[in-house]
Every structure is written in structure tokens, then in C-alpha cells.
């Protein structure tokens, strides 16, 4: 198998291929993955997924992540769950509707009062009415996940990673030619090129039903205490499709989103890293051309929301960054998967669910291509 793209989606396709007994040549145009796969929260996020194929993919991926982590502990997999903090009656009503929903059991959703919130996550000392607890949510360490998975694959003896090579052409069935002039031949090619939608991808699929989305995030110094769950604010109800309904409509009516959050398509997500620091975000920019710089107002908004939930000042911010991911324009599609040449397929566009769903997406690819 020739796998192009060494982000989390390409790496999970390589994992599936090697696990099923195949040899893999894995080609990456950078020295290592540098796109959305390392610029995210590391969340395995089940709670907000839409009912149907998206939720099914997230639940299956959650199982696969846990199984892979048993072999690769350095992934930093933690079945920590998440708390979506509730500060008003309107937010509480959305959460109450979620725990009454038909998928609440599979998501393992629970509504907690203020005292129980602090038992589950003592770091949340803000003035809360409660929280929506999703025990199925989990996290991994995004900055190391691809590297440790690839190192484990290399131990199989059937995996070769070639970096600093950009694929320029598909010269025949199961073959790619890179910008070093070298041709790599196999039985099948899978292109997992992430947000790189120009060049060869544009030549192969001029009207690709995928768009690019830009986000901003930041990372603090260590918090100095344990944040025992991932944390979201109620703006995540506006972003994730699982919460749509009359209660969300009422929230928008009586509690409009703050102007900065609305302008930048924001929600608060906050995750503690293995070193104790906090990853905090994010924004969503959809209109091209994207800004080439980062805006400060969203960071100020996120810091303010995080500090109100924690009931304390944030540690100093050590890093800020922007990233771009590819998202299917049809919201009902978990990913765009289609043949682009003889024995070659393109798999792209998982959007913000790439880290969550990539193991299940790769498993489906392997099943459909009869690996």
C-alpha cells in the first residue's frame, strides 16, 4: 500500500494496512506532520456528534483509540470524559434536552449539579448551575501521536516512512511519482492529503466537495493542578449538531452569543496536556482568503471565559497558533472517500472530527477496499 500524507488520517490508514498484514510505503511532503493533526486539542469527542453515521464513527473510533493505546501507551490516551459548563437557565435547558435524547445512553451523558461538578473536576471553581458530563469523551497527545504510532509501525518491518517528498503524479495503477523523481509502486494508493487541496489533488478532482477552515488556538504554562476532564462552554451547543432543537433556539433568542464569539465562530474547549499545560480554543474562519495573521480579540475572549469557569487566573500563555483543516461541504458526510484513478483513492475532509474519527475512517476504508 502507498499511503500519502502522514497526519493522523494517513497514519491510521497505514496502521490498518500493517495490522492486516500488508507492506506500507508512507510518503509525507514535510519533515513530519505539521498540519491540523498536530494543531488540535487531541480530543476523542463523542458528545456533540450528530446522530447516525457521525456518532457511529465516533463511538467506533473511541473503541479503536483505546485498543491502540494499549499497544502504544505514549499516545497519552486518557478516558477523561468532558464537562460542558452551564451558567444560565437557558444553557441548562439545552443540557436537559440532551440527556433526554435517544442517544444519551450511547454517549454516556449525565446532567450534574454544582456540587457534583466539583467532585468530578475540582478545578472548576466558577459560579456554575451545573454541567453536561459526557463520560465517553477522551483525549490523546496530538503533538506526539503521529510520531509514536509511526515508530510502532516501523517495528513491524513492513513499514517505510519517506518524508520531505511531495507526490506529483499517479503514473499508473498503484503508483505515485514524487518530487525527487522516484516512482513508488504498490497495489493501491490512498491519498490523505489533509488541507492540501491544490496541486495534484486539484488536477485529479477539480470540483472537490471539500472546503478549508481556519482556526486559532493557544497553550498556557502548566496550570499547577489537575484538570480532570476536558471542558467546554455552552457555545459548544451552538457549534455541535447533537444539540439542535427548540431549546437551542431559545438559547439563541434569550442569550445571544457575544459579538466576538459570533464574529469568529467560537466555542471554548479546554484540555490539559500531559505536562500540565492547557490547550485552549478555538475559532472558525470559512471565507477565503484567510487572514495571514492571528487576531487578539478571540484570545482575550477565550481567556475570560476560561478564567470564569476555573474561578482563577490562567497561567501565562506560552504559544499561539493558527491551523487549517479540510471539511466536507455536505455536513452529512463524515469524510470524502472516492476513487481518483486506477487503484487510487482520495480520503479527505473529516473537518474538526479528524482526530476523533480517524481510526474508524481508516477501518472503513480498509473494509471497503478489501484489505
Amino acid at each position: 500500500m502507498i499511503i500519502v500524507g502522514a497526519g493522523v488520517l494517513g497514519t491510521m490508514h497505514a496502521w490498518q494496512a500493517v495490522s492486516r498484514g500488508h507492506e506500507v510505503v508512507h510518503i509525507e511532503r514535510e519533515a513530519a506532520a505539521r498540519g491540523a493533526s498536530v494543531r488540535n486539542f487531541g480530543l476523542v469527542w463523542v458528545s456533540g456528534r450528530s446522530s447516525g453515521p457521525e456518532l457511529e464513527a465516533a463511538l467506533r473510533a473511541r473503541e479503536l483509540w483505546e485498543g491502540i493505546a494499549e499497544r502504544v501507551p505514549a499516545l497519552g490516551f486518557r478516558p477523561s470524559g468532558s464537562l460542558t459548563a452551564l451558567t444560565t437557565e437557558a444553557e441548562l435547558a439545552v443540557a436537559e434536552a440532551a440527556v433526554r435524547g435517544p442517544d444519551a445512553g450511547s454517549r454516556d451523558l449525565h446532567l450534574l449539579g454544582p456540587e457534583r461538578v466539583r467532585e468530578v473536576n475540582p478545578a472548576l471553581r466558577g459560579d456554575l448551575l451545573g454541567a453536561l458530563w459526557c463520560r465517553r469523551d477522551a483525549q490523546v497527545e496530538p503533538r506526539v501521536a503521529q510520531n509514536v504510532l509511526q515508530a510502532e509501525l516501523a517495528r513491524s518491518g513492513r513499514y517505510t516512512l519517506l518524508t520531505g517528498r511531495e507526490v506529483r503524479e499517479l503514473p499508473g495503477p498503484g503508483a505515485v511519482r514524487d518530487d525527487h523523481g522516484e516512482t513508488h509502486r504498490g497495489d493501491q494508493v490512498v491519498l490523505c492529503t489533509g488541507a492540501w487541496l491544490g496541486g495534484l489533488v486539484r488536477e485529479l478532482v477539480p470540483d472537490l466537495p471539500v472546503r478549508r477552515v481556519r482556526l486559532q488556538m493557544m497553550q498556557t504554562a502548566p496550570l499547577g493542578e489537575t484538570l480532570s476532564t476536558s471542558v467546554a462552554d455552552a457555545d459548544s451547543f451552538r457549534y455541535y449538531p447533537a444539540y439542535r432543537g427548540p431549546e437551542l433556539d431559545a438559547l439563541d433568542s434569550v442569550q445571544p452569543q457575544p459579538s466576538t464569539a459570533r464574529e469568529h465562530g467560537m466555542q471554548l474547549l479546554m484540555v490539559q496536556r500531559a505536562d500540565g499545560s492547557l490547550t485552549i480554543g478555538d475559532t472558525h474562519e470559512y471565507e477565503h482568503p484567510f487572514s495571514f495573521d492571528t487576531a487578539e480579540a478571540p484570545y482575550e475572549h477565550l481567556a475570560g471565559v476560561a478564567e470564569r469557569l476555573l474561578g482563577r487566573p490562567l497561567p501565562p500563555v506560552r504559544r499561539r497558533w493558527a491551523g487549517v483543516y479540510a471539511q466536507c461541504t455536505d455536513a452529512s458526510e463524515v469524510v470524502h472517500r472516492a476513487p481518483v484513478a486506477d487503484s487510487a483513492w482520495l480520503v479527505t475532509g473529516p473537518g474538526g472530527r479528524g482526530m476523533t474519527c480517524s481510526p474508524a475512517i481508516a477501518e472503513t476504508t480498509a473494509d471497503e477496499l478489501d484489505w
Side-chain angles (χ1 to χ4, degrees):
M1 304 297 170
I2 311 295
I3 310 294
V4 179
V8 67
L9 192 57
T11 300
M12 284 299 179
H13 278 79
W15 185 273
Q16 282 288 329
V18 169
S19 297
R20 297 178 186 220
H22 302 297
E23 295 183 3
V24 170
V25 175
H26 199 180
I27 303 174
E28 166 58 41
R29 64 185 183 132
E30 302 279 2
R34 295 178 57 82
S37 295
V38 297
R39 304 187 192 200
N40 66 77
F41 297 95
L43 286 172
V44 183
W45 196 253
V46 173
S47 49
R49 303 301 172 195
S50 61
S51 299
E54 183 179 5
L55 178 58
E56 292 167 8
L59 289 169
R60 175 56 181 157
R62 170 66 169 75
E63 295 176 9
L64 292 169
W65 271 118
E66 189 163 12
I68 294 168
E70 291 176 0
R71 287 182 54 187
V72 191
L75 279 172
F77 177 85
R78 299 185 292 283
S80 56
S82 72
L83 290 173
T84 300
L86 310 170
T87 61
T88 69
E89 293 292 341
E91 295 171 1
L92 182 61
V94 179
E96 289 172 339
V99 298
R100 293 194 303 266
D103 298 321
S106 58
R107 299 175 199 268
D108 207 350
L109 290 179
H110 306 269
L111 185 61
L112 306 184
E115 291 184 5
R116 182 67 176 128
V117 169
R118 289 174 177 83
E119 290 176 4
V120 172
N121 193 335
L124 293 179
R125 302 186 185 92
D127 187 12
L128 305 179
L129 293 182
L132 181 65
W133 188 22
C134 180
R135 296 176 60 180
R136 199 76 72 199
D137 289 337
Q139 55 186 270
V140 296
E141 291 298 302
R143 290 176 180 257
V144 302
Q146 284 73 233
N147 292 341
V148 298
L149 288 169
Q150 290 157 13
E152 180 67 20
L153 287 168
R155 283 189 269 276
S156 71
R158 290 180 282 109
Y159 174 81
T160 302
L161 176 63
L162 302 175
T163 60
R165 295 169 181 253
E166 184 173 311
V167 170
R168 294 289 181 82
E169 182 185 1
L170 304 182
V176 302
R177 184 181 63 80
D178 65 30
D179 59 356
H180 291 214
E182 188 172 351
T183 298
H184 311 273
R185 301 187 184 278
D187 295 300
Q188 294 180 348
V189 175
V190 178
L191 304 171
C192 298
T193 56
W196 178 53
L197 304 177
L200 176 63
V201 174
R202 183 175 293 117
E203 291 177 8
L204 293 170
V205 193
D207 298 315
L208 185 65
V210 172
R211 64 177 178 177
R212 300 168 81 234
V213 181
R214 183 179 184 267
L215 54 84
Q216 290 184 201
M217 298 173 63
M218 62 182 175
Q219 189 166 347
T220 72
L223 182 63
E225 61 180 318
T226 299
L227 189 72
S228 56
T229 70
S230 303
V231 175
D233 75 342
D235 276 341
S236 66
F237 293 153
R238 295 179 163 102
Y239 181 75
Y240 288 107
Y243 306 111
R244 291 171 187 159
E247 292 81 9
L248 181 60
D249 295 338
L251 174 67
D252 286 332
S253 176
V254 302
Q255 186 180 319
Q257 193 174 26
S259 58
T260 297
R262 184 177 63 254
E263 178 184 350
H264 294 276
M266 297 179 67
Q267 61 175 334
L268 171 84
L269 295 175
M270 181 164 55
V271 184
Q272 191 166 47
R273 302 268 63 92
D275 67 356
S277 64
L278 301 176
T279 302
I280 300 174
D282 59 352
T283 66
H284 301 88
E285 184 179 355
Y286 301 99
E287 297 299 324
H288 288 231
F290 293 142
S291 304
F292 62 84
D293 48 11
T294 58
E296 192 62 22
Y299 291 119
E300 294 173 354
H301 172 82
L302 290 168
V305 175
E307 288 180 346
R308 287 192 293 275
L309 299 183
L310 293 170
R312 55 162 287 181
L314 281 176
V317 175
R318 295 287 172 82
R319 299 185 180 96
R320 305 177 192 269
W321 66 90
V324 178
Y325 60 68
Q327 180 185 64
C328 291
T329 53
D330 183 348
S332 68
E333 286 194 330
V334 175
V335 72
H336 176 76
R337 183 189 295 105
V340 292
D342 192 358
S343 301
W345 286 262
L346 175 65
V347 185
T348 188
R353 55 198 163 201
M355 202 69 178
T356 294
C357 292
S358 56
I361 291 170
E363 182 182 63
T364 301
T365 299
D367 290 342
E368 291 187 358
L369 302 189
D370 197 24
W371 290 1

